[in-house]
């Protein structure tokens, strides 16, 4: 998606440790016009699929998932990183290691929001090592639902997550794949 690549090149900030900061338009402050184009693109990529739910993980994926859900006319379910008193009843649970936060989370979804009949599209902002996606796939499969596909805004193609997820046989579409980035000069190389 050329529009997204241009925005990353213009406003993205490469930090040491393979960190790309896009907080001024993607995951802190959100550019809703850009999100709208992202949602349209995910609908185009998954238009043949009978999606019944969109699943993401808190917090950065929620805005993107909500805008995308408008094009599928389906609800969004987001996996929570902590148990709260607002979640009643049984939950599906998995452990996810965050690349960004260098932390392991117990991630949960209430059993009343994922059912065996559901056909789920997973949406998230970043794909690095694939741990979050593997955990979300585990949650969906635990419910008996099917993972129809995964939509990622930015994939770090130089890390192993994309290959791992694709090897699981799940359709994975990333709107921008970065093959390399350099913190010293701020350069970003996108995959064609």
């Amino acid at each position: 998606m050329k529009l997204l690549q241009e925005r990353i090149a213009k406003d993205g900030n490469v930090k040491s440790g393979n960190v790309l900061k896009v907080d001024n338009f993607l995951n802190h402050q959100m550019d809703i016009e850009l999100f709208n184009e992202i949602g349209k693109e995910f609908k185009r990529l998954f238009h043949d699929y009978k999606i019944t739910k969109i699943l993401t993980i808190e917090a950065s994926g929620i805005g993107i998932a909500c805008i995308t859900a408008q094009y599928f006319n389906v609800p969004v379910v987001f996996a929570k990183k902590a148990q709260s008193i607002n979640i009643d009843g049984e939950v599906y649970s998995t452990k996810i290691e965050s690349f960004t936060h260098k932390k392991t989370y117990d991630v949960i979804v209430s059993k009343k929001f994922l059912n065996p009949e559901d056909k789920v599209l997973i949406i998230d902002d970043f794909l690095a090592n694939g741990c979050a996606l593997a955990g979300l796939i585990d949650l969906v499969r635990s419910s008996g639902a099917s993972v129809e596909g995964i939509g990622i805004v930015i994939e770090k193609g130089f890390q192993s997550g994309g290959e791992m997820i694709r090897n699981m046989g799940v359709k994975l579409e990333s709107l921008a794949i970065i093959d390399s980035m350099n913190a010293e000069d701020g350069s970003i190389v996108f995959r064609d």
Side-chain angles (χ1 to χ4, degrees), residues 9 17 20 40 57-58 87 89 104 111 118 124 147 152 165 170:
L20 174 63
K40 286 180 192 174
I57 189 167
E58 68 176 356
I87 296 184
T104 300
K111 287 190 175 183
D118 283 321
D124 208 0
V147 176
I152 297 296
I165 298 300
V170 178

Side-chain angles (χ1 to χ4, degrees), residues 127 155 159-168 172:
L127 170 55
E155 177 182 339
Q159 290 184 257
S160 62
E163 181 180 359
M164 177 184 79
I165 298 300
R166 289 179 180 95
N167 286 341
M168 295 172 79
L172 170 61

